[in-house]
């Protein structure tokens, strides 16, 4: 039986560790960071639920991998989230990277990358023709793209992503 978005959400708990433990009881084995970004941060997001409703999450294995700025430019973005990427890109292009959160700015100043790795799936998981498809982290991607456009970062700079692929 597939482990769908709806099935996982049926055991929801606002406590991330407890929710992950409940999901593990269903057969899900994920890193906490990925689990929080997908199932907690988007808990009541109907557009996100529609995007991922057919995925059997039990068939996805996760690894944290580096991608260059150039490769990030080629990551697919679902149409419903493209505006978020474009807006963040333009803000960063026009005024440089800025965030109100101190920890995010500290990470940017020291490493010139994001604090939390965005969530990317291989295209086959979402049945798309692209190699990689971003499902969480649209503002982060837009910020990196704006920084690349400004040439604040080289295209070769590496940025970690969480990559989900079928096993």
């Amino acid at each position: 039986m597939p482990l769908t978005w709806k099935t996982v959400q049926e055991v929801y708990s606002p406590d991330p560790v407890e929710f992950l433990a409940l999901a593990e009881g269903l057969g899900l084995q994920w890193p906490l960071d990925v689990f929080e970004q997908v199932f907690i941060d988007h808990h009541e997001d109907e557009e996100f639920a529609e995007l991922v409703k057919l995925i059997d999450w039990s068939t996805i294995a996760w690894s944290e991998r580096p991608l260059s700025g150039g490769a990030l430019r080629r990551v697919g973005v679902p149409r419903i989230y493209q505006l978020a990427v474009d807006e963040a890109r333009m803000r960063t292009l026009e005024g440089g990277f800025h965030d109100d959160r101190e920890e995010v700015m500290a990470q940017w100043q020291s490493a010139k990358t994001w604090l939390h790795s965005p969530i990317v799936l291989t295209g086959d998981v979402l049945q798309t023709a692209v190699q990689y498809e971003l499902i969480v982290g649209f503002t982060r991607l837009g910020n990196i793209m704006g920084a690349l456009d400004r040439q604040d970062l080289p295209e070769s700079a590496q940025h970690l992503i969480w990559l989900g692929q079928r096993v």
Side-chain angles (χ1 to χ4, degrees):
M1 179 174 194
L3 188 53
T4 64
W5 170 264
K6 183 179 179 195
T7 304
V8 175
Q9 290 299 332
E10 286 173 353
V11 298
Y12 176 77
S13 169
D15 177 80
V17 175
E18 180 181 336
F19 187 17
L20 179 57
L22 293 168
E24 286 173 343
L26 298 172
L28 197 68
Q29 299 297 316
W30 283 23
L32 181 59
D33 185 36
V34 176
F35 185 80
E36 284 184 293
Q37 290 187 66
V38 172
F39 287 104
I40 294 177
D41 293 353
H42 291 278
H43 173 63
E44 294 183 356
D45 184 338
E46 291 179 19
E47 288 180 329
F48 186 81
E50 184 65 25
L51 174 70
V52 302
K53 72 180 178 184
L54 298 178
I55 296 173
D56 180 356
W57 294 107
S58 67
T59 67
I60 309 300
W62 296 98
S63 59
E64 201 167 26
R65 300 212 180 147
L67 281 185
S68 69
L72 286 167
R73 288 186 184 278
R74 296 185 300 276
V75 169
V77 175
R79 184 179 309 271
I80 60 172
Y81 296 111
Q82 187 62 54
L83 182 60
V85 173
D86 294 343
E87 287 177 344
R89 182 180 192 167
M90 292 313 300
R91 275 193 310 274
T92 300
L93 179 61
E94 292 171 358
F97 181 80
H98 178 75
D99 195 286
D100 291 334
R101 296 167 292 179
E102 285 183 36
E103 66 275 11
V104 172
M105 285 306 294
Q107 174 72 8
W108 181 256
Q109 293 301 323
S110 67
K112 300 287 190 232
T113 194
W114 34 58
L115 186 60
H116 291 282
S117 300
I119 310 300
V120 176
L121 296 172
T122 55
D124 66 310
V125 173
L126 287 172
Q127 301 175 358
T128 65
V130 298
Q131 181 180 12
Y132 298 131
E133 184 93 15
L134 183 73
I135 64 163
V136 176
F138 306 106
T139 302
R140 285 172 267 176
L141 178 63
N143 288 334
I144 290 289
M145 291 175 67
L148 291 167
D149 293 347
R150 287 174 55 94
Q151 298 181 342
D152 291 344
L153 297 173
E155 295 280 333
S156 61
Q158 300 290 304
H159 308 277
L160 291 176
I161 62 158
W162 279 110
L163 180 63
Q165 51 195 17
R166 288 195 196 278
V167 290

